[in-house]
Amino acid sequence: MVKKISKQKIRVKKHLKIRNRFSGTAGKPRLAVYRSNNHMYAQIIDDTVGNTLVAASTVEKDVQAELKKTNDTTAATYIGKLIGKRAIDKGITTVVYDRGGFVYQGKVKALADGAREAGLEF
């Protein structure tokens, strides 16, 4: 009997492989992305000390007021622009993009494009 591995377990395994390849430093922190069925989350993390430097998500009240839906590509682009703007305000210009094991298309790609539009380099 062949057992099918769940998509969540596959994603977590991919994410662990990605995390073994790189990590965020003070000079070049990691832009970590997580998407659920209803929301998008993005954090810029310095892994050397384990601090979250900047965060943005569609759960925030002011973000929800701006958006019609929180689970589409326009919301992901908005979050990308928002985290890029917040990072530039903190003095962060270059990051390492961590797609979190998700396929680089759709919402994950839209968030990356929004962050690049805001001025982040990766």
Side-chain angles (χ1 to χ4, degrees), residues 1-121:
M1 182 173 172
V2 178
K3 284 190 173 183
K4 187 172 181 179
I5 302 172
S6 71
K7 288 184 180 183
Q8 173 66 15
K9 287 185 181 179
I10 292 170
R11 186 196 69 79
V12 169
K13 191 173 180 182
K14 281 183 193 176
H15 188 209
L16 291 175
K17 284 182 182 180
I18 290 169
R19 288 286 291 119
N20 282 332
R21 274 188 256 147
F22 62 82
S23 71
T25 61
K28 198 168 185 179
R30 177 171 59 98
L31 172 58
V33 174
Y34 179 75
R35 80 172 169 78
S36 67
N37 287 337
N38 296 324
H39 295 285
M40 289 288 296
Y41 306 87
Q43 295 180 334
I44 296 181
I45 304 166
D46 180 5
D47 289 319
T48 56
V49 291
N51 284 344
T52 299
L53 306 173
V54 181
S57 71
T58 56
V59 179
E60 299 172 15
K61 294 277 186 196
D62 54 337
V63 173
Q64 285 183 354
E66 292 286 324
L67 300 171
K68 188 181 276 188
K69 291 176 70 177
T70 59
N71 63 349
D72 58 355
T73 55
T74 56
T77 304
Y78 183 81
I79 291 298
K81 288 178 184 177
L82 183 64
I83 196 149
K85 182 182 171 292
R86 289 179 182 176
I88 296 294
D89 291 344
K90 282 251 184 158
I92 301 167
T93 56
T94 59
V95 294
V96 177
Y97 190 68
D98 177 10
R99 59 186 173 88
F102 296 105
V103 179
Y104 186 78
Q105 68 181 16
K107 293 183 248 184
V108 176
K109 185 174 188 261
L111 192 142
D113 293 340
R116 284 190 186 105
E117 260 183 57
L120 283 181
E121 296 176 15

